[in-house]
Amino acid sequence: MKVSYHGHSVVKIQTNGKTIIIDPFITGNSLTDLTIDEVKPDVIILTHGHGDHVGDTVELAKRNNALVIANADLCAFLSFQGVKTHAMHIGGAYQFEFGKVKLTQAFHGSGYVIAGSQEIIYCGMPAGILFMNEGKTIYHAGDTGLFSDMKLIGERHPIDLAFLPIGDNFTMGPEDAAYAAKLLAAKTVVPIHYNTFPPIKQDPNTFLEMLDDKNGKILQPGESIEI
Ligand code: NI
Ligand code: MN
């Protein structure tokens, strides 16, 4: 599997000829190397309903006839906009033809703010994502604070590659993310959700230095790992 990082929380997985994108926040993402014209996802997986994660989902799903996978409440909201969805919820896994997806817990919010309307739409609970295919397991933590059941997630699903937020303020900061890496016991850990906005400014090298196992890898937007 080829797994690439595209700034903020955007992760792209290429497996068996399919392109899967997680949290495609492209428009307004100053760090991304992607444009919505060049990304052609078959599948979009969302961690939660915040704008910096839902991003360009509706546009991308419609243009590419992509399937959107998310929690049931967020799927309902997106289906009202004409998007093809597969609803799941925390703790549930489903074997798709392109891989297995399981939603895990995350501690965060998940309301979608309608720009300029002073309206906020309930989009269910936030989640993390386990993606399994070709004998490998990827964990995308979404936006979350540190929680001790990360140990349970790692025990139940040995993780090859974990994407962990380090930005602080809205999610774990570098210290908590380094502790999370220890609990998860992932083979390789990649920091995400930093430097996009002033409150989440971080030096990812600080995070790498804090890792007991020195198993961190910084991916610049557009860089990938083969697992
Ligand atoms: Ni969020
Ligand atoms: Mn976020």
Side-chain angles (χ1 to χ4, degrees), residues 163-175:
F163 291 92
L164 302 179
I166 64 155
D168 224 338
N169 193 72
F170 301 113
T171 68
M172 298 187 283
E175 280 180 46

Side-chain angles (χ1 to χ4, degrees), residues 8 48 52-53 143 193:
H8 203 56
H48 65 294
D52 59 318
H53 297 261
D143 280 1
H193 209 271

Side-chain angles (χ1 to χ4, degrees), residues 41-44 57-58 60-62 64-70 75-76 78-87 97:
D42 300 291
V43 178
I44 300 168
T57 293
V58 172
L60 284 174
K62 285 184 176 173
N64 300 286
N65 194 30
L67 176 68
V68 179
I69 301 167
C75 276
L78 294 169
S79 70
F80 300 156
Q81 297 170 70
V83 167
K84 184 174 64 176
T85 62
H86 180 106
E97 38 113 16

Side-chain angles (χ1 to χ4, degrees), residues 89-122:
H89 235 307
I90 290 165
Y94 190 81
Q95 180 68 57
F96 296 88
E97 38 113 16
F98 50 81
K100 192 172 188 175
V101 176
K102 185 173 186 178
L103 296 187
T104 60
Q105 70 185 38
F107 289 92
H108 193 65
S110 183
Y112 187 87
V113 176
I114 308 280
S117 73
Q118 298 195 353
E119 253 191 280
I120 183 162
I121 307 291
Y122 170 75

Side-chain angles (χ1 to χ4, degrees), residues 169-187:
N169 193 72
F170 301 113
T171 68
M172 298 187 283
E175 280 180 46
D176 279 356
Y179 199 88
K182 191 157 70 177
L183 294 179
L184 291 160
K187 280 190 196 138

Side-chain angles (χ1 to χ4, degrees), residues 12-198:
K12 191 171 75 186
I13 302 166
Q14 286 160 293
T15 179
N16 292 338
K18 296 284 185 191
T19 299
I20 296 132
I21 194 160
I22 298 175
D23 289 354
F25 168 50
I26 296 167
T27 304
N29 180 352
S30 57
L31 297 181
T32 199
D33 61 309
L34 297 177
T35 68
I36 60 167
D37 292 324
E38 67 184 339
V39 194
K40 301 208 184 311
D42 300 291
V43 178
I44 300 168
I45 313 178
L46 300 177
T47 58
H48 65 294
H50 286 161
D52 59 318
H53 297 261
V54 173
D56 300 283
T57 293
V58 172
E59 179 71 22
L60 284 174
K62 285 184 176 173
R63 280 189 190 193
N64 300 286
N65 194 30
L67 176 68
V68 179
I69 301 167
N71 82 58
D73 311 85
L74 179 51
C75 276
F77 172 59
L78 294 169
S79 70
F80 300 156
Q81 297 170 70
V83 167
K84 184 174 64 176
T85 62
H86 180 106
M88 297 182 67
H89 235 307
I90 290 165
Y94 190 81
Q95 180 68 57
F96 296 88
E97 38 113 16
F98 50 81
K100 192 172 188 175
V101 176
K102 185 173 186 178
L103 296 187
T104 60
Q105 70 185 38
F107 289 92
H108 193 65
S110 183
Y112 187 87
V113 176
I114 308 280
S117 73
Q118 298 195 353
E119 253 191 280
I120 183 162
I121 307 291
Y122 170 75
C123 290
M125 280 176 72
I129 296 162
L130 284 164
F131 181 85
M132 296 158 259
N133 205 27
E134 300 182 47
K136 303 285 182 185
T137 297
I138 299 164
Y139 173 61
H140 186 299
D143 280 1
T144 187
L146 176 64
F147 56 92
S148 58
D149 278 353
M150 284 176 170
K151 186 169 190 292
L152 185 65
I153 294 171
E155 281 172 2
R156 295 279 298 116
H157 305 280
I159 297 164
D160 295 285
L161 179 58
F163 291 92
L164 302 179
I166 64 155
D168 224 338
N169 193 72
F170 301 113
T171 68
M172 298 187 283
E175 280 180 46
D176 279 356
Y179 199 88
K182 191 157 70 177
L183 294 179
L184 291 160
K187 280 190 196 138
T188 304
V189 181
V190 174
I192 61 171
H193 209 271
Y194 63 95
N195 287 352
T196 330
F197 314 113

